[in-house]
Amino acid sequence: MKKKKNSPRILVVTPEITSLPPGMGNMANRLRAKAGGLADVSASLVGALFRCGADVHVALPHYRRMFHVDLGNMVSDEVRAYMMHFNSSSRIHLAEDRIFYYRDTVYSSYSDDSFKQAVAFQREVLNNIIPAVQPDLIHCNDWMTGLIPGAARRMGIPCLFTVHNIHTSKVTLENIEDRGLDTAAFWQNLYYERPPVNYEETRSSNPVDLLTSGIFGAHFINTVSPTFLREIVDGCHDFIAPQIRNEIAAKYYSGCAGGILNSPDEAENPETDNALEVCYNADTHRQAKQVNKIAFQSRTGLLVDQNAPLFFWPNRLDPVQKGCQLLAEIMYDLVHRYYDKNLQIAIVANGSHQKIFRDIVAFHDFYDRVTVCDFDETLSHLGFAASDFVLVPSRFEPCGLPQMTAQYYGTLPIVRDTGGLHDTVEHYNFNENTGNGFVFRDYDANGLRWAVDEAMRFYGLPAETKERAIATVMRNAKRRFNHDVTARHYIDIYESMLARPLL
C-alpha cells in the first residue's frame, strides 16, 4: 500500500498491543498490554503497515497502570494538557473507561468483569473513536471486538474480522445497552443463541454470541493459518461450537474468508538478542549455539555438555491444546533410552501440567537431565538459542509461533501435523537434506516418540551436514516468516475489500 494523498485509512481495533513504532504517536513506546500472541501480532502488523506507508490507526483500551500513566498525581491542568497533547497528533486512540485504568492484566478471571471490559471498549470505539478517525476500513480482532463488525456494516464501512482464538462470550442486548452502547440500529447484524423474533423479544432473553457475531457481521474474515481455516470448515475439531463453524464455513464458501499466518516477534532475532550469551546468524550458528547451550545448562542445573541433544518446551503447559501429557507419558523412556547420549529436556513454561513434570523429575532423580522452570522471557530466549529441537505436539493450533521462532534460532521444531504447524514445518528428508523439522500425524505418545527418534537420527548425522541444513532453515525462516510478508497479505485483503461493493 503506497503512501499517497488519498490513501485509505485503516483502523485496527485490538484489546492487546506491544511495541508500536515511534511515528505512531507520543506514547507509542509506552504502550504494552499483553496477554498472549495477539498483542505481538497486532503491534507487528500495525508497525509493518505503518512502514509500508499505510494510513493506519489503532484503537485499544487505555490501561493506565500497564502504560505507566499516573493521572492521579497530575493536577487538572496537567491532565487536560496530557490528554490534548496525546490525542491531537496521534494515530493511537485510547478507549477511556475506569474499568481499564487500574488493571494489571488484559483479561479478568471473572466472566462478568470480562464482558464489562469488552462492552466498554466497543462502546468507546463505536461512539467516539470511529467518528473521530472516520476510517475507510476497520480491522477487528477476536471476541472483545465482536459487536463492531455488525455496527460497521450498518455504517457502510468495510470490516475485516480476524479470528485468533476460538473463544467466545455471551451477553444480552439489555446488558450491553446498560453499559452505554445502543444496539437498536444494528441488532439484526448480530448473532444470537437462538434465532430472534424481534428486538423487544430478544433484548433481555436471547444472549448475543460475541465471537460468532464478529464473524457473522464482518464483510471478510481470516484465521491465522490457512490449514486451521480448512480444518474448521471440514469439521475436524469437535471442540469448536457448531455456530462458529457454520458461520466461518458460510464465509469460506462465499469467498469471504482466508488464512494468514502470524509471524514471530521481531525482537526474537539471534543476531541482536540481548538475552543470549553469544549472538549469531546462519553462518556462525554452530559454535555460538554450543556456547549458549553451556550457559543455559549452567543456569538451569542441567548436566553441562555442549554435545548433549537438548529438547526445549516453550509453550504453556495446557493439556487440552498443547500436548504436554504426551511428553509426560514418554519422558522417562526418552531419557532412559538416550541416556548415553545425555539427552536433555528443558521446560520453561507455566500451566496446570507443571507439577506433573516436577513429580516425574523428582521420582526418577532426573534433575541433571530434565529442568522444569517457571516462564521467564529472558530464559526462554536463551532456551531457543541453546536447544537443538523445540517440542510443539499440539492437539490443534490456530497458528503457533514457537515453531517459527525456533527456526530463527536454528532450532528444529518437532510438531504434530495440524493447523499452523502444518503450514510452517516440513518433515526432514534424509535423502535430499530438505525440510525444516519433524512432523508426526497421530495425536498420541507414540507419534511424538517417533518424531523424537527422527530428530535423534538427524542429530547423529555428520556435523557438516547438520550445519548446512540448519543454516538453510535459518535463512528460509527469515524470508518466509516476517511481518512485512504478513502485512502484505493483509494489505491485499484490504485492497480487495475496498474495491468490491458492500452487501
Side-chain angles (χ1 to χ4, degrees):
M1 188 174 289
K2 297 178 181 178
K3 184 177 281 187
K4 54 187 178 181
K5 182 177 181 181
N6 297 317
S7 179
R9 182 167 296 168
I10 310 299
L11 176 63
V12 177
V13 183
T14 177
E16 306 179 41
I17 205 85
T18 57
S19 313
L20 288 172
M24 289 289 294
N26 298 314
M27 276 185 60
N29 63 332
R30 298 176 63 177
L31 304 182
R32 183 176 179 84
K34 178 178 179 178
L38 172 57
D40 293 320
V41 171
S42 296
S44 299
L45 172 61
V46 171
L49 291 170
F50 185 73
R51 289 194 300 272
C52 289
D55 186 5
V56 59
H57 293 245
V58 61
L60 67 152
H62 194 172
Y63 304 107
R64 290 182 183 174
R65 176 172 290 179
M66 285 187 276
F67 297 164
H68 306 294
V69 176
D70 186 4
L71 298 186
N73 289 330
M74 297 183 190
V75 298
S76 58
D77 288 345
E78 290 176 324
V79 172
R80 191 178 302 111
Y82 156 77
M83 297 302 293
M84 290 179 62
H85 176 64
F86 180 77
N87 290 320
S88 62
S89 61
S90 179
R91 293 173 177 269
I92 304 166
H93 308 273
L94 300 180
E96 301 288 346
D97 190 279
R98 191 180 187 279
I99 197 169
F100 307 126
Y101 294 164
Y102 306 104
R103 300 200 57 79
D104 293 314
T105 58
V106 172
Y107 303 109
S108 172
S109 57
Y110 301 100
S111 59
D112 187 55
D113 212 23
S114 293
F115 118 74
K116 290 178 180 177
Q117 286 177 251
V119 175
F121 179 36
Q122 294 174 96
R123 180 198 67 218
E124 292 302 298
V125 171
L126 290 171
N127 292 352
N128 297 313
I129 295 175
I130 290 176
V133 176
Q134 297 186 8
D136 297 295
L137 184 145
I138 300 171
H139 181 175
C140 292
N141 294 273
D142 266 358
W143 71 272
M144 278 190 71
T145 67
L147 299 172
I148 295 171
R153 186 175 284 272
R154 175 74 177 184
M155 299 174 192
I157 304 173
C159 186
L160 171 66
F161 187 78
T162 299
V163 180
H164 296 265
N165 301 290
I166 303 295
H167 172 78
T168 191
S169 184
K170 296 181 180 181
V171 58
T172 62
L173 293 176
E174 181 178 49
N175 284 330
I176 293 171
E177 292 178 343
D178 284 348
R179 303 294 298 174
L181 177 55
D182 184 8
T183 61
F186 63 93
W187 75 276
Q188 291 174 304
N189 295 337
L190 304 178
Y191 191 96
Y192 299 88
E193 199 169 81
R194 56 176 172 77
V197 176
N198 54 49
Y199 173 76
E200 288 75 16
E201 176 275 337
T202 215
R203 184 175 181 271
S204 61
S205 62
N206 191 4
V208 176
D209 183 315
L210 293 179
L211 182 70
T212 312
S213 287
I215 298 164
F216 175 70
H219 295 89
F220 198 98
I221 69 160
N222 75 282
T223 58
V224 287
S225 74
T227 294
F228 190 63
L229 173 61
R230 292 194 298 272
E231 289 173 350
I232 295 171
V233 173
D234 293 342
C236 296
H237 302 301
D238 57 10
F239 60 88
I240 296 177
Q243 72 275 12
I244 294 174
R245 177 186 173 244
N246 291 341
E247 289 306 314
I248 289 178
K251 283 289 194 293
Y252 177 82
Y253 288 119
S254 63
C256 295
I260 300 176
L261 282 168
N262 291 334
S263 296
D265 187 343
E266 294 174 335
E268 295 173 330
N269 180 353
E271 298 180 41
T272 58
D273 193 337
N274 292 329
L276 308 191
E277 191 76 9
V278 177
C279 291
Y280 58 94
N281 57 30
D283 296 322
T284 61
H285 74 270
R286 182 175 172 182
Q287 290 185 329
K289 283 183 71 68
Q290 289 181 331
V291 173
N292 284 303
K293 182 181 290 185
I294 291 171
F296 183 85
Q297 291 167 331
S298 300
R299 197 170 303 179
T300 59
L302 290 171
L303 176 70
V304 176
D305 176 4
Q306 68 180 20
N307 296 313
L310 178 57
F311 292 76
F312 181 46
W313 182 284
N315 270 315
R316 69 183 183 277
L317 296 170
D318 169 16
V320 174
Q321 179 185 355
K322 298 299 183 180
C324 45
Q325 70 273 29
L326 305 184
L327 177 61
E329 189 174 333
I330 64 173
M331 179 179 283
Y332 170 79
D333 176 61
L334 293 180
V335 174
H336 178 73
R337 190 142 49 96
Y338 292 108
Y339 203 82
D340 61 330
K341 304 289 187 183
N342 288 339
L343 181 146
Q344 299 176 350
I345 299 170
I347 298 169
V348 181
N350 300 330
S352 60
H353 233 64
Q354 191 189 76
K355 183 180 185 302
I356 292 174
F357 283 114
R358 291 187 185 277
D359 289 345
I360 293 172
V361 172
F363 184 82
H364 295 290
D365 192 24
F366 277 164
Y367 291 104
D368 65 342
R369 303 300 172 97
V370 180
T371 186
V372 184
C373 308
D374 288 338
F375 178 77
D376 175 87
E377 192 163 353
T378 299
L379 186 62
S380 183
H381 279 226
L382 182 59
F384 276 112
S387 56
D388 302 288
F389 308 102
V390 66
L391 295 161
V392 194
S394 300
R395 176 188 173 202
F396 65 95
E397 197 61 71
C399 177
L401 292 175
Q403 82 280 5
M404 290 185 272
T405 300
Q407 294 174 55
Y408 275 23
Y409 286 81
T411 301
L412 302 188
I414 296 171
V415 306
R416 179 171 172 261
D417 190 14
T418 186
L421 305 178
H422 173 90
D423 294 327
T424 54
V425 182
E426 298 81 41
H427 192 77
Y428 184 77
N429 186 314
F430 286 88
N431 293 326
E432 300 178 9
N433 196 30
T434 60
N436 58 1
F438 307 92
V439 183
F440 67 100
R441 185 185 64 187
D442 296 330
Y443 184 71
D444 57 32
N446 285 332
L448 177 58
R449 181 187 285 110
W450 175 84
V452 171
D453 288 342
E454 286 285 280
M456 288 299 295
R457 182 182 167 198
F458 174 86
Y459 200 74
L461 293 176
E464 294 75 16
T465 302
K466 290 190 296 182
E467 186 174 0
R468 286 195 303 271
I470 291 170
T472 299
V473 168
M474 293 179 70
R475 293 188 184 101
N476 288 343
K478 288 184 68 175
R479 176 180 54 82
R480 289 178 62 191
F481 312 131
N482 66 74
H483 292 288
D484 289 333
V485 171
T486 299
R488 184 65 255 174
H489 288 307
Y490 277 107
I491 288 171
D492 289 343
I493 289 180
Y494 296 161
E495 292 177 340
S496 174
M497 290 175 65
L498 290 166
R500 65 194 298 180
L502 293 182
L503 300 177

